[in-house]
Amino acid sequence: MREPWTDVDRYAEELLLSPDPILSAALESSAAAGLPPIQVSPSQGKFLHLLPRGIGARSILEVGTLGAYSTIWLARALPGSGRLVSLELNPAHATVARANLARAGLTDRVEVRVGPALESLPRLVAEGAGPFDLTFIDADKPPTAEYFDWAVRLSRPGSVIVVDNVVRQGAVAHEEGADAAVLGIRRFLSRLSGDRRVSATVVQTVGRKGYDGFALAVVDAVAERPLADANGSARRAT
Ligand code: SAH
Ligand code: DHB
Ligand code: MG
C-alpha cells in the first residue's frame, strides 16, 4: 500500500529540492556497492543541511557515515574553512563514502574515521577535537546513550545534537517485546530525561522511510549543572 506520507515526501521534494546529480550518484554508488538503503530521506537530508546553516556551524561531528549521503548534506552547510568528522565502523562503507565525498568536492572539509565509534569518540576527546557546533548520531542503536554522552563532551553551550531513529514505528513507547535497537533508544531517552547538561525533545516523523523520529538537544552546559542554585532552589532538566 502506498502511504499518503510517501506522496507528500515526493510532492515536497519536487517543490523544494533541486535535482542533485552528486547526491543521486552517491545513492547509486552506495546501492551498487551493496550498502543497505537506510540513509536519511532527501527531505530529512535537507533538514540536516538547514540546521547547521541556520546556526552558522563551522564544525560538525557525525556518528555513522554509511555512503556519506547525510554527510554530504551536512558538509555542504559548512564554510570553506569548516570541518566535519564522520565516524564509521565498516571499512567498505568508508571507501564508498570517501569516493562520494570526493565526487562532491568535499574532501578538504570532511574526514571519515574508520573504527568503532566507542573507540573513535574518546580519541577525539583525547586529541582535544571540538567543540563541535552540531552532532548527528545515526549509527548502531544499542550504544546511543554512550554516543550522546561523548557528543555532549565534545560540545560547547549552544551546540546542537540530533539523534536519528528514536521512534521506530512507535516501538519506542513499549518496553515489552522491544528489540536491542529499541531498548538502546529507550535507555538513551531515559538518561536524557535526567540529563541536566541539555534541553531536549523528540519529534516524530513520517515519510519515505515510514514512521520514525529525531531527538533534538541543545547543550546548556558541558559539565553537569549543580543540583541546586546558589539560593538553594531545586533545578530540573528543562
Ligand atoms: N548517516 C547515514 C546512515 C548511517 S547507517 C545517512 O543517513 O546517510 C548506520 C551506519 O553506522 C552504518 O554505515 C554502520 O556501518 C555504522 N555503524 C554501525 N556500528 C557502528 C559503530 N559501532 N561505530 C561506527 N559506526 C557504526
Ligand atoms: C536502520 C538504521 C537507520 O539508521 C535508519 O535510519 C533506518 C534503519 C536499521 O538498522 O534498520
Ligand atoms: Mg538512521
Side-chain angles (χ1 to χ4, degrees), residues 97-136:
R98 287 182 181 126
N100 288 334
L101 288 160
R103 196 189 292 106
L106 290 167
T107 306
D108 57 333
R109 264 171 276 181
V110 180
E111 181 192 351
V112 178
R113 289 200 181 191
V114 177
L118 285 178
E119 290 177 16
S120 302
L121 288 161
R123 193 161 300 139
L124 284 170
V125 171
E127 286 170 11
F132 294 95
D133 300 320
L134 182 136
T135 299
F136 179 48

PDB file of all heavy atoms in Angstrom, residues 97-136:
ATOM      1  N   ALA A  97      31.975   5.932   0.944  1.00  0.00           N
ATOM      2  CA  ALA A  97      31.733   7.300   1.431  1.00  0.00           C
ATOM      3  C   ALA A  97      32.799   8.260   0.914  1.00  0.00           C
ATOM      4  O   ALA A  97      32.497   9.360   0.445  1.00  0.00           O
ATOM      5  CB  ALA A  97      31.700   7.307   2.957  1.00  0.00           C
ATOM      6  N   ARG A  98      34.054   7.835   0.990  1.00  0.00           N
ATOM      7  CA  ARG A  98      35.143   8.733   0.557  1.00  0.00           C
ATOM      8  C   ARG A  98      35.045   9.041  -0.928  1.00  0.00           C
ATOM      9  O   ARG A  98      35.295  10.173  -1.350  1.00  0.00           O
ATOM     10  CB  ARG A  98      36.493   8.107   0.901  1.00  0.00           C
ATOM     11  CG  ARG A  98      36.772   8.154   2.406  1.00  0.00           C
ATOM     12  CD  ARG A  98      38.140   7.563   2.722  1.00  0.00           C
ATOM     13  NE  ARG A  98      38.401   7.595   4.160  1.00  0.00           N
ATOM     14  CZ  ARG A  98      38.752   6.537   4.890  1.00  0.00           C
ATOM     15  NH1 ARG A  98      38.899   5.349   4.309  1.00  0.00           N
ATOM     16  NH2 ARG A  98      38.963   6.666   6.180  1.00  0.00           N
ATOM     17  N   ALA A  99      34.678   8.045  -1.722  1.00  0.00           N
ATOM     18  CA  ALA A  99      34.520   8.283  -3.167  1.00  0.00           C
ATOM     19  C   ALA A  99      33.366   9.262  -3.408  1.00  0.00           C
ATOM     20  O   ALA A  99      33.468  10.166  -4.254  1.00  0.00           O
ATOM     21  CB  ALA A  99      34.272   6.962  -3.888  1.00  0.00           C
ATOM     22  N   ASN A 100      32.287   9.105  -2.669  1.00  0.00           N
ATOM     23  CA  ASN A 100      31.143  10.008  -2.832  1.00  0.00           C
ATOM     24  C   ASN A 100      31.486  11.426  -2.380  1.00  0.00           C
ATOM     25  O   ASN A 100      31.045  12.405  -2.994  1.00  0.00           O
ATOM     26  CB  ASN A 100      29.931   9.470  -2.065  1.00  0.00           C
ATOM     27  CG  ASN A 100      29.330   8.249  -2.752  1.00  0.00           C
ATOM     28  OD1 ASN A 100      29.464   8.090  -3.970  1.00  0.00           O
ATOM     29  ND2 ASN A 100      28.674   7.392  -1.978  1.00  0.00           N
ATOM     30  N   LEU A 101      32.285  11.536  -1.319  1.00  0.00           N
ATOM     31  CA  LEU A 101      32.695  12.857  -0.838  1.00  0.00           C
ATOM     32  C   LEU A 101      33.658  13.519  -1.825  1.00  0.00           C
ATOM     33  O   LEU A 101      33.595  14.737  -2.042  1.00  0.00           O
ATOM     34  CB  LEU A 101      33.343  12.735   0.546  1.00  0.00           C
ATOM     35  CG  LEU A 101      32.352  12.408   1.665  1.00  0.00           C
ATOM     36  CD1 LEU A 101      33.070  11.834   2.886  1.00  0.00           C
ATOM     37  CD2 LEU A 101      31.550  13.658   2.045  1.00  0.00           C
ATOM     38  N   ALA A 102      34.502  12.712  -2.453  1.00  0.00           N
ATOM     39  CA  ALA A 102      35.428  13.265  -3.456  1.00  0.00           C
ATOM     40  C   ALA A 102      34.634  13.807  -4.640  1.00  0.00           C
ATOM     41  O   ALA A 102      34.899  14.916  -5.132  1.00  0.00           O
ATOM     42  CB  ALA A 102      36.418  12.179  -3.908  1.00  0.00           C
ATOM     43  N   ARG A 103      33.635  13.037  -5.091  1.00  0.00           N
ATOM     44  CA  ARG A 103      32.803  13.493  -6.207  1.00  0.00           C
ATOM     45  C   ARG A 103      32.074  14.783  -5.849  1.00  0.00           C
ATOM     46  O   ARG A 103      31.814  15.629  -6.705  1.00  0.00           O
ATOM     47  CB  ARG A 103      31.798  12.399  -6.579  1.00  0.00           C
ATOM     48  CG  ARG A 103      31.164  12.616  -7.948  1.00  0.00           C
ATOM     49  CD  ARG A 103      30.020  11.650  -8.227  1.00  0.00           C
ATOM     50  NE  ARG A 103      30.428  10.270  -8.380  1.00  0.00           N
ATOM     51  CZ  ARG A 103      30.225   9.328  -7.473  1.00  0.00           C
ATOM     52  NH1 ARG A 103      29.615   9.601  -6.332  1.00  0.00           N
ATOM     53  NH2 ARG A 103      30.615   8.093  -7.692  1.00  0.00           N
ATOM     54  N   ALA A 104      31.752  14.931  -4.573  1.00  0.00           N
ATOM     55  CA  ALA A 104      31.042  16.127  -4.102  1.00  0.00           C
ATOM     56  C   ALA A 104      31.992  17.300  -3.844  1.00  0.00           C
ATOM     57  O   ALA A 104      31.546  18.396  -3.477  1.00  0.00           O
ATOM     58  CB  ALA A 104      30.249  15.795  -2.837  1.00  0.00           C
ATOM     59  N   GLY A 105      33.281  17.080  -4.017  1.00  0.00           N
ATOM     60  CA  GLY A 105      34.259  18.152  -3.801  1.00  0.00           C
ATOM     61  C   GLY A 105      34.410  18.527  -2.334  1.00  0.00           C
ATOM     62  O   GLY A 105      34.723  19.673  -2.003  1.00  0.00           O
ATOM     63  N   LEU A 106      34.195  17.564  -1.439  1.00  0.00           N
ATOM     64  CA  LEU A 106      34.178  17.870   0.000  1.00  0.00           C
ATOM     65  C   LEU A 106      35.363  17.264   0.747  1.00  0.00           C
ATOM     66  O   LEU A 106      35.418  17.308   1.980  1.00  0.00           O
ATOM     67  CB  LEU A 106      32.873  17.369   0.621  1.00  0.00           C
ATOM     68  CG  LEU A 106      31.621  18.149   0.194  1.00  0.00           C
ATOM     69  CD1 LEU A 106      30.351  17.391   0.585  1.00  0.00           C
ATOM     70  CD2 LEU A 106      31.622  19.542   0.803  1.00  0.00           C
ATOM     71  N   THR A 107      36.326  16.719  -0.001  1.00  0.00           N
ATOM     72  CA  THR A 107      37.443  16.016   0.636  1.00  0.00           C
ATOM     73  C   THR A 107      38.220  16.927   1.591  1.00  0.00           C
ATOM     74  O   THR A 107      38.698  16.482   2.633  1.00  0.00           O
ATOM     75  CB  THR A 107      38.388  15.451  -0.440  1.00  0.00           C
ATOM     76  OG1 THR A 107      37.586  14.668  -1.331  1.00  0.00           O
ATOM     77  CG2 THR A 107      39.456  14.581   0.151  1.00  0.00           C
ATOM     78  N   ASP A 108      38.307  18.200   1.257  1.00  0.00           N
ATOM     79  CA  ASP A 108      39.083  19.118   2.101  1.00  0.00           C
ATOM     80  C   ASP A 108      38.398  19.410   3.432  1.00  0.00           C
ATOM     81  O   ASP A 108      39.041  19.743   4.412  1.00  0.00           O
ATOM     82  CB  ASP A 108      39.327  20.435   1.351  1.00  0.00           C
ATOM     83  CG  ASP A 108      38.022  21.091   0.913  1.00  0.00           C
ATOM     84  OD1 ASP A 108      37.019  20.356   0.702  1.00  0.00           O
ATOM     85  OD2 ASP A 108      37.988  22.330   0.794  1.00  0.00           O
ATOM     86  N   ARG A 109      37.086  19.268   3.464  1.00  0.00           N
ATOM     87  CA  ARG A 109      36.334  19.626   4.671  1.00  0.00           C
ATOM     88  C   ARG A 109      35.969  18.428   5.543  1.00  0.00           C
ATOM     89  O   ARG A 109      35.610  18.588   6.696  1.00  0.00           O
ATOM     90  CB  ARG A 109      35.019  20.323   4.270  1.00  0.00           C
ATOM     91  CG  ARG A 109      35.094  21.826   4.290  1.00  0.00           C
ATOM     92  CD  ARG A 109      33.858  22.443   3.680  1.00  0.00           C
ATOM     93  NE  ARG A 109      33.972  22.504   2.226  1.00  0.00           N
ATOM     94  CZ  ARG A 109      33.042  23.025   1.426  1.00  0.00           C
ATOM     95  NH1 ARG A 109      31.922  23.494   1.935  1.00  0.00           N
ATOM     96  NH2 ARG A 109      33.220  23.052   0.126  1.00  0.00           N
ATOM     97  N   VAL A 110      35.989  17.212   4.952  1.00  0.00           N
ATOM     98  CA  VAL A 110      35.440  16.041   5.646  1.00  0.00           C
ATOM     99  C   VAL A 110      36.502  14.978   5.872  1.00  0.00           C
ATOM    100  O   VAL A 110      37.257  14.631   4.972  1.00  0.00           O
ATOM    101  CB  VAL A 110      34.270  15.420   4.834  1.00  0.00           C
ATOM    102  CG1 VAL A 110      33.713  14.206   5.571  1.00  0.00           C
ATOM    103  CG2 VAL A 110      33.173  16.458   4.597  1.00  0.00           C
ATOM    104  N   GLU A 111      36.517  14.458   7.088  1.00  0.00           N
ATOM    105  CA  GLU A 111      37.383  13.326   7.417  1.00  0.00           C
ATOM    106  C   GLU A 111      36.508  12.161   7.854  1.00  0.00           C
ATOM    107  O   GLU A 111      35.697  12.300   8.772  1.00  0.00           O
ATOM    108  CB  GLU A 111      38.328  13.730   8.561  1.00  0.00           C
ATOM    109  CG  GLU A 111      39.294  12.650   8.967  1.00  0.00           C
ATOM    110  CD  GLU A 111      40.017  12.951  10.280  1.00  0.00           C
ATOM    111  OE1 GLU A 111      39.876  14.095  10.791  1.00  0.00           O
ATOM    112  OE2 GLU A 111      40.686  12.055  10.799  1.00  0.00           O
ATOM    113  N   VAL A 112      36.648  11.019   7.183  1.00  0.00           N
ATOM    114  CA  VAL A 112      35.941   9.805   7.600  1.00  0.00           C
ATOM    115  C   VAL A 112      36.927   8.967   8.408  1.00  0.00           C
ATOM    116  O   VAL A 112      38.002   8.621   7.919  1.00  0.00           O
ATOM    117  CB  VAL A 112      35.423   9.001   6.383  1.00  0.00           C
ATOM    118  CG1 VAL A 112      34.729   7.721   6.849  1.00  0.00           C
ATOM    119  CG2 VAL A 112      34.474   9.852   5.536  1.00  0.00           C
ATOM    120  N   ARG A 113      36.569   8.666   9.650  1.00  0.00           N
ATOM    121  CA  ARG A 113      37.438   7.861  10.508  1.00  0.00           C
ATOM    122  C   ARG A 113      36.841   6.474  10.675  1.00  0.00           C
ATOM    123  O   ARG A 113      35.693   6.346  11.120  1.00  0.00           O
ATOM    124  CB  ARG A 113      37.572   8.487  11.886  1.00  0.00           C
ATOM    125  CG  ARG A 113      38.390   9.740  11.881  1.00  0.00           C
ATOM    126  CD  ARG A 113      38.878  10.013  13.286  1.00  0.00           C
ATOM    127  NE  ARG A 113      39.666  11.242  13.297  1.00  0.00           N
ATOM    128  CZ  ARG A 113      40.394  11.637  14.318  1.00  0.00           C
ATOM    129  NH1 ARG A 113      40.431  10.897  15.429  1.00  0.00           N
ATOM    130  NH2 ARG A 113      41.074  12.761  14.265  1.00  0.00           N
ATOM    131  N   VAL A 114      37.632   5.459  10.374  1.00  0.00           N
ATOM    132  CA  VAL A 114      37.142   4.084  10.435  1.00  0.00           C
ATOM    133  C   VAL A 114      37.436   3.484  11.809  1.00  0.00           C
ATOM    134  O   VAL A 114      38.538   3.620  12.332  1.00  0.00           O
ATOM    135  CB  VAL A 114      37.803   3.219   9.339  1.00  0.00           C
ATOM    136  CG1 VAL A 114      37.352   1.765   9.462  1.00  0.00           C
ATOM    137  CG2 VAL A 114      37.442   3.762   7.962  1.00  0.00           C
ATOM    138  N   GLY A 115      36.423   2.822  12.366  1.00  0.00           N
ATOM    139  CA  GLY A 115      36.594   2.121  13.636  1.00  0.00           C
ATOM    140  C   GLY A 115      35.321   2.185  14.423  1.00  0.00           C
ATOM    141  O   GLY A 115      34.380   2.896  14.044  1.00  0.00           O
ATOM    142  N   PRO A 116      35.245   1.432  15.529  1.00  0.00           N
ATOM    143  CA  PRO A 116      34.062   1.518  16.391  1.00  0.00           C
ATOM    144  C   PRO A 116      33.977   2.923  16.991  1.00  0.00           C
ATOM    145  O   PRO A 116      34.967   3.425  17.531  1.00  0.00           O
ATOM    146  CB  PRO A 116      34.316   0.476  17.485  1.00  0.00           C
ATOM    147  CG  PRO A 116      35.527  -0.298  17.050  1.00  0.00           C
ATOM    148  CD  PRO A 116      36.279   0.538  16.068  1.00  0.00           C
ATOM    149  N   ALA A 117      32.802   3.530  16.913  1.00  0.00           N
ATOM    150  CA  ALA A 117      32.654   4.905  17.409  1.00  0.00           C
ATOM    151  C   ALA A 117      33.026   5.008  18.891  1.00  0.00           C
ATOM    152  O   ALA A 117      33.522   6.048  19.325  1.00  0.00           O
ATOM    153  CB  ALA A 117      31.228   5.397  17.169  1.00  0.00           C
ATOM    154  N   LEU A 118      32.812   3.926  19.646  1.00  0.00           N
ATOM    155  CA  LEU A 118      33.147   3.985  21.074  1.00  0.00           C
ATOM    156  C   LEU A 118      34.659   4.037  21.305  1.00  0.00           C
ATOM    157  O   LEU A 118      35.107   4.311  22.413  1.00  0.00           O
ATOM    158  CB  LEU A 118      32.525   2.808  21.840  1.00  0.00           C
ATOM    159  CG  LEU A 118      31.012   2.935  22.082  1.00  0.00           C
ATOM    160  CD1 LEU A 118      30.464   1.704  22.793  1.00  0.00           C
ATOM    161  CD2 LEU A 118      30.686   4.210  22.890  1.00  0.00           C
ATOM    162  N   GLU A 119      35.445   3.767  20.252  1.00  0.00           N
ATOM    163  CA  GLU A 119      36.894   3.999  20.330  1.00  0.00           C
ATOM    164  C   GLU A 119      37.268   5.357  19.734  1.00  0.00           C
ATOM    165  O   GLU A 119      38.136   6.054  20.247  1.00  0.00           O
ATOM    166  CB  GLU A 119      37.655   2.883  19.605  1.00  0.00           C
ATOM    167  CG  GLU A 119      37.577   1.559  20.341  1.00  0.00           C
ATOM    168  CD  GLU A 119      38.277   0.422  19.594  1.00  0.00           C
ATOM    169  OE1 GLU A 119      39.079   0.694  18.669  1.00  0.00           O
ATOM    170  OE2 GLU A 119      38.000  -0.741  19.927  1.00  0.00           O
ATOM    171  N   SER A 120      36.586   5.716  18.641  1.00  0.00           N
ATOM    172  CA  SER A 120      36.936   6.984  17.968  1.00  0.00           C
ATOM    173  C   SER A 120      36.546   8.195  18.812  1.00  0.00           C
ATOM    174  O   SER A 120      37.247   9.219  18.804  1.00  0.00           O
ATOM    175  CB  SER A 120      36.223   7.069  16.616  1.00  0.00           C
ATOM    176  OG  SER A 120      36.577   5.976  15.799  1.00  0.00           O
ATOM    177  N   LEU A 121      35.428   8.107  19.540  1.00  0.00           N
ATOM    178  CA  LEU A 121      34.941   9.278  20.296  1.00  0.00           C
ATOM    179  C   LEU A 121      35.898   9.658  21.427  1.00  0.00           C
ATOM    180  O   LEU A 121      36.292  10.835  21.527  1.00  0.00           O
ATOM    181  CB  LEU A 121      33.519   9.020  20.796  1.00  0.00           C
ATOM    182  CG  LEU A 121      32.455   9.043  19.677  1.00  0.00           C
ATOM    183  CD1 LEU A 121      31.169   8.347  20.125  1.00  0.00           C
ATOM    184  CD2 LEU A 121      32.160  10.476  19.234  1.00  0.00           C
ATOM    185  N   PRO A 122      36.327   8.693  22.284  1.00  0.00           N
ATOM    186  CA  PRO A 122      37.307   9.087  23.310  1.00  0.00           C
ATOM    187  C   PRO A 122      38.616   9.579  22.706  1.00  0.00           C
ATOM    188  O   PRO A 122      39.273  10.458  23.267  1.00  0.00           O
ATOM    189  CB  PRO A 122      37.513   7.809  24.138  1.00  0.00           C
ATOM    190  CG  PRO A 122      36.721   6.737  23.500  1.00  0.00           C
ATOM    191  CD  PRO A 122      35.807   7.339  22.483  1.00  0.00           C
ATOM    192  N   ARG A 123      38.981   9.028  21.536  1.00  0.00           N
ATOM    193  CA  ARG A 123      40.198   9.505  20.880  1.00  0.00           C
ATOM    194  C   ARG A 123      40.050  10.970  20.480  1.00  0.00           C
ATOM    195  O   ARG A 123      40.970  11.759  20.632  1.00  0.00           O
ATOM    196  CB  ARG A 123      40.505   8.633  19.655  1.00  0.00           C
ATOM    197  CG  ARG A 123      41.899   8.847  19.102  1.00  0.00           C
ATOM    198  CD  ARG A 123      42.336   7.689  18.209  1.00  0.00           C
ATOM    199  NE  ARG A 123      42.347   6.419  18.918  1.00  0.00           N
ATOM    200  CZ  ARG A 123      41.922   5.256  18.405  1.00  0.00           C
ATOM    201  NH1 ARG A 123      41.455   5.211  17.179  1.00  0.00           N
ATOM    202  NH2 ARG A 123      41.981   4.157  19.129  1.00  0.00           N
ATOM    203  N   LEU A 124      38.874  11.336  19.992  1.00  0.00           N
ATOM    204  CA  LEU A 124      38.640  12.741  19.632  1.00  0.00           C
ATOM    205  C   LEU A 124      38.781  13.637  20.859  1.00  0.00           C
ATOM    206  O   LEU A 124      39.376  14.714  20.796  1.00  0.00           O
ATOM    207  CB  LEU A 124      37.246  12.911  19.009  1.00  0.00           C
ATOM    208  CG  LEU A 124      37.076  12.434  17.554  1.00  0.00           C
ATOM    209  CD1 LEU A 124      35.600  12.448  17.159  1.00  0.00           C
ATOM    210  CD2 LEU A 124      37.886  13.317  16.597  1.00  0.00           C
ATOM    211  N   VAL A 125      38.223  13.174  22.000  1.00  0.00           N
ATOM    212  CA  VAL A 125      38.343  13.955  23.240  1.00  0.00           C
ATOM    213  C   VAL A 125      39.819  14.083  23.618  1.00  0.00           C
ATOM    214  O   VAL A 125      40.298  15.179  23.927  1.00  0.00           O
ATOM    215  CB  VAL A 125      37.540  13.308  24.389  1.00  0.00           C
ATOM    216  CG1 VAL A 125      37.851  13.984  25.718  1.00  0.00           C
ATOM    217  CG2 VAL A 125      36.035  13.372  24.095  1.00  0.00           C
ATOM    218  N   ALA A 126      40.553  12.975  23.547  1.00  0.00           N
ATOM    219  CA  ALA A 126      41.974  12.978  23.926  1.00  0.00           C
ATOM    220  C   ALA A 126      42.780  13.912  23.030  1.00  0.00           C
ATOM    221  O   ALA A 126      43.739  14.548  23.469  1.00  0.00           O
ATOM    222  CB  ALA A 126      42.543  11.558  23.865  1.00  0.00           C
ATOM    223  N   GLU A 127      42.381  13.986  21.761  1.00  0.00           N
ATOM    224  CA  GLU A 127      43.079  14.862  20.813  1.00  0.00           C
ATOM    225  C   GLU A 127      42.747  16.337  21.030  1.00  0.00           C
ATOM    226  O   GLU A 127      43.336  17.210  20.389  1.00  0.00           O
ATOM    227  CB  GLU A 127      42.670  14.518  19.370  1.00  0.00           C
ATOM    228  CG  GLU A 127      43.275  13.241  18.838  1.00  0.00           C
ATOM    229  CD  GLU A 127      42.637  12.826  17.509  1.00  0.00           C
ATOM    230  OE1 GLU A 127      41.897  13.645  16.926  1.00  0.00           O
ATOM    231  OE2 GLU A 127      42.873  11.693  17.086  1.00  0.00           O
ATOM    232  N   GLY A 128      41.749  16.595  21.868  1.00  0.00           N
ATOM    233  CA  GLY A 128      41.307  17.976  22.030  1.00  0.00           C
ATOM    234  C   GLY A 128      40.463  18.461  20.864  1.00  0.00           C
ATOM    235  O   GLY A 128      40.350  19.665  20.617  1.00  0.00           O
ATOM    236  N   ALA A 129      39.857  17.520  20.117  1.00  0.00           N
ATOM    237  CA  ALA A 129      38.999  17.902  18.986  1.00  0.00           C
ATOM    238  C   ALA A 129      37.747  18.599  19.501  1.00  0.00           C
ATOM    239  O   ALA A 129      37.379  18.478  20.662  1.00  0.00           O
ATOM    240  CB  ALA A 129      38.614  16.668  18.174  1.00  0.00           C
ATOM    241  N   GLY A 130      37.117  19.328  18.623  1.00  0.00           N
ATOM    242  CA  GLY A 130      35.901  20.036  19.002  1.00  0.00           C
ATOM    243  C   GLY A 130      36.213  21.364  19.640  1.00  0.00           C
ATOM    244  O   GLY A 130      37.359  21.790  19.618  1.00  0.00           O
ATOM    245  N   PRO A 131      35.255  22.067  20.232  1.00  0.00           N
ATOM    246  CA  PRO A 131      33.880  21.601  20.322  1.00  0.00           C
ATOM    247  C   PRO A 131      33.187  21.641  18.961  1.00  0.00           C
ATOM    248  O   PRO A 131      33.457  22.522  18.144  1.00  0.00           O
ATOM    249  CB  PRO A 131      33.231  22.607  21.282  1.00  0.00           C
ATOM    250  CG  PRO A 131      34.040  23.854  21.125  1.00  0.00           C
ATOM    251  CD  PRO A 131      35.437  23.390  20.833  1.00  0.00           C
ATOM    252  N   PHE A 132      32.313  20.656  18.734  1.00  0.00           N
ATOM    253  CA  PHE A 132      31.541  20.617  17.505  1.00  0.00           C
ATOM    254  C   PHE A 132      30.259  21.424  17.701  1.00  0.00           C
ATOM    255  O   PHE A 132      29.609  21.329  18.741  1.00  0.00           O
ATOM    256  CB  PHE A 132      31.225  19.165  17.134  1.00  0.00           C
ATOM    257  CG  PHE A 132      32.459  18.382  16.771  1.00  0.00           C
ATOM    258  CD1 PHE A 132      33.126  17.607  17.716  1.00  0.00           C
ATOM    259  CD2 PHE A 132      32.978  18.446  15.482  1.00  0.00           C
ATOM    260  CE1 PHE A 132      34.278  16.906  17.382  1.00  0.00           C
ATOM    261  CE2 PHE A 132      34.136  17.744  15.137  1.00  0.00           C
ATOM    262  CZ  PHE A 132      34.785  16.973  16.089  1.00  0.00           C
ATOM    263  N   ASP A 133      29.913  22.197  16.681  1.00  0.00           N
ATOM    264  CA  ASP A 133      28.696  23.020  16.757  1.00  0.00           C
ATOM    265  C   ASP A 133      27.446  22.165  16.605  1.00  0.00           C
ATOM    266  O   ASP A 133      26.388  22.523  17.125  1.00  0.00           O
ATOM    267  CB  ASP A 133      28.727  24.088  15.655  1.00  0.00           C
ATOM    268  CG  ASP A 133      29.937  25.006  15.792  1.00  0.00           C
ATOM    269  OD1 ASP A 133      30.265  25.367  16.943  1.00  0.00           O
ATOM    270  OD2 ASP A 133      30.555  25.335  14.765  1.00  0.00           O
ATOM    271  N   LEU A 134      27.582  21.052  15.878  1.00  0.00           N
ATOM    272  CA  LEU A 134      26.432  20.167  15.671  1.00  0.00           C
ATOM    273  C   LEU A 134      26.930  18.730  15.573  1.00  0.00           C
ATOM    274  O   LEU A 134      27.979  18.468  14.973  1.00  0.00           O
ATOM    275  CB  LEU A 134      25.687  20.551  14.384  1.00  0.00           C
ATOM    276  CG  LEU A 134      24.425  19.718  14.070  1.00  0.00           C
ATOM    277  CD1 LEU A 134      23.288  20.628  13.620  1.00  0.00           C
ATOM    278  CD2 LEU A 134      24.695  18.668  13.005  1.00  0.00           C
ATOM    279  N   THR A 135      26.185  17.816  16.178  1.00  0.00           N
ATOM    280  CA  THR A 135      26.497  16.383  16.066  1.00  0.00           C
ATOM    281  C   THR A 135      25.260  15.648  15.572  1.00  0.00           C
ATOM    282  O   THR A 135      24.144  15.915  16.042  1.00  0.00           O
ATOM    283  CB  THR A 135      26.931  15.794  17.429  1.00  0.00           C
ATOM    284  OG1 THR A 135      28.118  16.460  17.872  1.00  0.00           O
ATOM    285  CG2 THR A 135      27.203  14.303  17.322  1.00  0.00           C
ATOM    286  N   PHE A 136      25.446  14.739  14.617  1.00  0.00           N
ATOM    287  CA  PHE A 136      24.367  13.883  14.125  1.00  0.00           C
ATOM    288  C   PHE A 136      24.718  12.442  14.480  1.00  0.00           C
ATOM    289  O   PHE A 136      25.730  11.909  14.021  1.00  0.00           O
ATOM    290  CB  PHE A 136      24.210  14.039  12.608  1.00  0.00           C
ATOM    291  CG  PHE A 136      23.136  13.167  12.015  1.00  0.00           C
ATOM    292  CD1 PHE A 136      21.862  13.105  12.573  1.00  0.00           C
ATOM    293  CD2 PHE A 136      23.390  12.410  10.875  1.00  0.00           C
ATOM    294  CE1 PHE A 136      20.868  12.298  12.022  1.00  0.00           C
ATOM    295  CE2 PHE A 136      22.403  11.612  10.314  1.00  0.00           C
ATOM    296  CZ  PHE A 136      21.138  11.553  10.895  1.00  0.00           C
TER     297      PHE A 136
END
